[in-house]
């Protein structure tokens, strides 16, 4: 079920990967269109999320809902799903980031229920 839900993200123009990983960096489930090392992505997403959450705690900014990394060749969106899991969505440069954010918000409960 989780793989099917993640597959819906690949139907969005420009999305190349959707990966659910544990906070330990190990990949739980993934769907990929292209050549992406999902194991490395899971590990780096976990590290990036942890660092950003520590910064938020230090600055008293509350809980993180999403993290957008804007890169030359496309964004990566990271979001916590629970205390133990996160999602990373990788896309190409011309993607509609707002659409990804909308779909993630709309499907968050389905994703967590499938975990």
């Amino acid at each position: 079920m989780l793989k099917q839900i993640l597959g819906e993200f690949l139907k969005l123009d420009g999305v190349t990967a959707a990966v659910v990983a544990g906070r330990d960096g190990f990949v739980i489930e993934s769907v990929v269109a292209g050549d992406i090392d999902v194991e490395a992505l899971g590990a780096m997403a976990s590290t990036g999320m942890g660092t950003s959450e520590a910064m938020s705690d230090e600055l008293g900014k509350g809980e993180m809902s999403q993290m957008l990394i804007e890169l030359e060749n496309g964004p990566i969106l990271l979001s916590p799903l629970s205390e133990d899991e996160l999602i990373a969505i990788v896309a190409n440069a011309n993607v509609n980031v707002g659409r990804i954010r909308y779909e993630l918000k709309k499907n968050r409960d389905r994703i967590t229920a499938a975990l």
Side-chain angles (χ1 to χ4, degrees), residues 11-87:
K11 294 177 183 175
L12 301 174
D13 280 343
V15 173
T16 57
V19 177
V20 172
R23 294 300 184 108
D24 57 5
F26 289 103
V27 173
I28 296 167
E29 189 63 83
S30 65
V31 292
V32 179
D35 187 26
I36 294 176
D37 183 346
V38 294
E39 300 301 327
L41 175 61
M44 290 183 284
S46 174
T47 300
M49 182 78 68
T51 301
S52 295
E53 287 174 331
M55 184 180 0
S56 175
D57 288 345
E58 182 66 30
L59 297 174
K61 293 294 188 178
E63 288 189 34
M64 176 192 296
S65 60
Q66 286 184 350
M67 182 172 130
L68 178 65
I69 306 164
E70 293 186 20
L71 303 165
E72 180 180 355
N73 294 317
I76 301 170
L77 187 128
L78 304 176
S79 184
L81 294 170
S82 71
E83 208 171 285
D84 298 319
E85 295 95 11
L86 62 91
I87 187 168

Side-chain angles (χ1 to χ4, degrees), residues 6 9-18 33 89-92 95 100:
L6 294 179
F9 286 99
L10 288 187
K11 294 177 183 175
L12 301 174
D13 280 343
V15 173
T16 57
I89 300 174
V90 180
N92 293 326
V95 74
I100 296 171

